[in-house]
Amino acid sequence: MAKFVPQSELSLTDQVKVRRQKLAELQAEGHDPFVQTKFDVTCHTDAIRDNFEAMEGSTVRIAGRLMSKRGMGKVVFCDLQDLRGRIQLYVKIDEMDEESFYAFRKNDIGDIVGVSGDVFRTQRGEISVRVHEATLLAKGLLPLPEKFHGLTDLETRYRQRYVDLIVNPEVRRIFEIRSKFVSFVRRYLDSHGYMEVETPVLNTISGGASARPFITHHNTLDIDMYMRIATELHLKRLIVGGLERVYEIGRIFRNEGMDPKHNPEFTTVELYQAYTDFHGMMDLFEELLSSAAMELLGTYKVNWQGYDVDLTPGWRRMTMAEAVKEYLGVDFMAISTDAEAEALAASVGVELGEEKDHTWGNFLYECFDQKVEEQLIQPTFITMHPVDVSPLAKRSPADPRLTERFELFICHSEMGNAFSELNDPIDQRERFVKQMELRERGDEEANMMDEDFLNALEYGMPPTGGLGIGIDRCVMLLTGADSIREVILFPTMKPVDF
């Protein structure tokens, strides 16, 4: 008999050769694992652990991946991992057919097996399954990462999420919370009378947000099309059509840089409600996110990016000008001219490039964006953004330089964006014209003129509140993840050769 060599002492190439040889031998013997089409599972591992007293001595059928293997004599101990966790398998030659025992002993860590056996507790007190029958369901031809260190290289984890999920149990929790959060958002909005809809991903015009789009080509129509950068303009058309409360959860595509907070494709929920304004959207957002934390985590207290964050309702609300005054000590509301604004911004070290209009509103926004945003840790609604940076929001009746808009910031990260929606088609056309001027000057992120949307507004859109929420950012908050790639199953990566 050949000498047994532990997997850890074999090179990766040798391990692959050994595994492929085992597969070839199984197939030659008529035991090809890949011809198996099903295995009847009666329970998961957590049910056995949680209900041991009731299940002790009963026969169960479980299936999963072998994660460890100990002993090579007449008794083998293995850890089997399924969707709900792990449990120990006790495999003894006296408890099963001898041929089946020796066949099982040849299995490798990473193989997928189905077993039938009775539930018991070992002399050491560990809840286990005493195996009577075992079936190899799939042969792992590549070895898993070394068991004590798991998969720690970030690049490999993101590229091979399937391995990450196998060897890092905490990763599975992140995506379980993500799934539950999306389900919670749907239930919350459905219960508040919103209707879920679906709008086009491919558009002939890029609009609804300030972002650089991905461009593709439609062969039949022979036209370039844009992958959507927002769902806003289509959803507001539906408000015009009389659907008073609508929302869409969907993928958004923006041809921009990648960093811990940004991925070229991401998920948002956008919602629109007729006969309310941005204050109504603030109330809704605060209740939705705080309620999600309590339901999914059982607490309003979370730790994110090294900060203890309190999501208890009653979040701070302040205008952008108030925030700039509080954190920088300069008062934009006390001045009125563009020249005064430029001097005020320069006094705190803020300048604008030549590609931007040197206006009061742009200087106010850049002071906030460059100097204040990074200081906002606890949940804070920043309201009344300048019209210069809000082409789709309604002007403030009290100050036409500002709009009824807010963004929510937590740990200096924007979590969502909302407006009292602009429903004046004449004002909207003027702002689109301004956006097109910016495009002609080289701003690829400026909105395009959308004549059909303007046509819809001319039929009349009621006063409306709109809100866009970044699903990925919210999941980062709820799971404590520092990078958006931690909460996207398959983040965008530069291609590599395997």
Side-chain angles (χ1 to χ4, degrees), residues 290-311:
S290 62
S291 298
M294 182 57 69
E295 176 167 317
L296 302 183
L297 307 179
T299 179
Y300 290 127
K301 307 295 177 63
V302 299
N303 185 276
W304 188 33
Q305 300 185 46
Y307 299 101
D308 290 325
V309 178
D310 187 353
L311 298 177

Side-chain angles (χ1 to χ4, degrees), residues 327-355:
Y327 287 94
L328 301 183
V330 294
D331 187 1
F332 272 80
M333 302 308 293
I335 61 173
S336 58
T337 70
D338 296 341
E340 290 174 320
E342 184 167 10
L344 200 59
S347 71
V348 292
V350 172
E351 298 181 353
L352 291 184
E354 292 301 321
E355 74 281 1

Side-chain angles (χ1 to χ4, degrees), residues 127-363:
I127 295 174
S128 308
V129 173
R130 181 185 288 108
V131 177
H132 300 308
E133 297 177 4
T135 304
L136 180 61
L137 302 173
K139 184 70 183 171
L141 299 182
L142 288 174
L144 297 177
E146 204 279 318
K147 64 180 180 180
F148 295 113
H149 302 294
L151 186 63
T152 57
D153 178 70
L154 288 179
E155 184 85 1
T156 304
R157 286 186 53 226
Y158 300 151
R159 290 186 185 280
Q160 300 181 34
R161 183 68 81 186
Y162 39 90
V163 182
D164 191 25
L165 289 165
I166 293 170
V167 300
N168 291 320
E170 66 277 7
V171 173
R172 183 175 300 174
R173 174 182 174 273
I174 289 176
F175 292 104
E176 288 174 346
I177 290 177
R178 181 188 180 106
S179 178
K180 291 176 181 177
F181 177 68
V182 173
S183 295
F184 177 87
V185 171
R186 279 196 167 94
R187 281 189 284 111
Y188 179 92
L189 294 176
D190 290 347
S191 69
H192 283 71
Y194 285 82
M195 173 181 173
E196 184 173 11
V197 298
E198 295 172 305
T199 62
V201 171
L202 292 176
N203 296 287
T204 56
I205 291 173
S206 176
S210 297
R212 183 183 297 113
F214 286 96
I215 304 175
T216 187
H217 189 78
H218 192 292
N219 290 335
T220 301
L221 296 177
D222 193 24
I223 58 171
D224 284 341
M225 300 192 76
Y226 302 87
M227 298 184 74
R228 67 183 180 193
I229 59 174
T231 55
E232 177 170 347
L233 299 185
H234 280 98
L235 292 176
K236 288 199 284 192
R237 286 173 168 90
L238 299 179
I239 295 293
V240 172
L243 303 182
E244 295 182 0
R245 299 189 183 199
V246 294
Y247 76 95
E248 180 171 11
I249 297 175
R251 301 292 267 187
I252 302 299
F253 306 88
R254 297 185 180 179
N255 197 355
E256 300 169 343
M258 297 186 294
D259 59 38
K261 296 181 182 178
H262 296 88
N263 192 67
E265 56 176 307
F266 55 96
T267 306
T268 67
V269 54
E270 284 200 40
L271 57 104
Y272 293 85
Q273 178 178 334
Y275 310 113
T276 191
D277 62 4
F278 76 134
H279 291 291
M281 294 294 99
M282 267 189 280
D283 294 340
L284 183 148
F285 196 2
E286 180 175 309
E287 182 180 50
L288 186 154
L289 190 51
S290 62
S291 298
M294 182 57 69
E295 176 167 317
L296 302 183
L297 307 179
T299 179
Y300 290 127
K301 307 295 177 63
V302 299
N303 185 276
W304 188 33
Q305 300 185 46
Y307 299 101
D308 290 325
V309 178
D310 187 353
L311 298 177
T312 303
W315 300 348
R316 192 176 190 194
R317 305 180 181 192
M318 60 195 312
T319 69
M320 184 173 288
E322 289 171 344
V324 168
K325 182 177 181 180
E326 177 174 323
Y327 287 94
L328 301 183
V330 294
D331 187 1
F332 272 80
M333 302 308 293
I335 61 173
S336 58
T337 70
D338 296 341
E340 290 174 320
E342 184 167 10
L344 200 59
S347 71
V348 292
V350 172
E351 298 181 353
L352 291 184
E354 292 301 321
E355 74 281 1
K356 294 186 177 181
D357 290 333
H358 287 212
T359 62
W360 178 92
N362 277 332
F363 281 115

Side-chain angles (χ1 to χ4, degrees), residues 22-23 26 31-37 39 64 66 103-104 106-108 110-115 133-140:
K22 288 183 178 180
L23 174 61
L26 287 167
H31 300 302
D32 185 351
F34 296 118
V35 303
Q36 301 292 333
T37 58
F39 185 86
L66 296 179
F104 184 91
K106 292 180 182 179
N107 292 338
D108 293 305
D111 289 353
I112 297 175
V113 301
V115 302
E133 297 177 4
T135 304
L136 180 61
L137 302 173
K139 184 70 183 171

Side-chain angles (χ1 to χ4, degrees), residues 86-137:
R86 295 188 185 187
I87 198 164
Q88 179 174 269
L89 302 182
Y90 174 79
V91 188
K92 188 178 181 182
I93 193 170
D94 296 341
E95 301 288 347
M96 60 192 305
D97 176 80
E98 185 173 318
E99 182 180 351
S100 297
F101 173 81
Y102 285 113
F104 184 91
R105 204 173 68 171
K106 292 180 182 179
N107 292 338
D108 293 305
I109 295 172
D111 289 353
I112 297 175
V113 301
V115 302
S116 174
D118 56 86
V119 176
F120 81 113
R121 192 188 295 273
T122 66
Q123 291 181 348
R124 293 187 176 183
E126 184 166 354
I127 295 174
S128 308
V129 173
R130 181 185 288 108
V131 177
H132 300 308
E133 297 177 4
T135 304
L136 180 61
L137 302 173

Side-chain angles (χ1 to χ4, degrees), residues 52-60 117-121 128 130:
F52 174 74
E53 292 185 2
M55 297 186 68
E56 184 177 12
S58 62
T59 299
V60 295
D118 56 86
V119 176
F120 81 113
R121 192 188 295 273
S128 308
R130 181 185 288 108

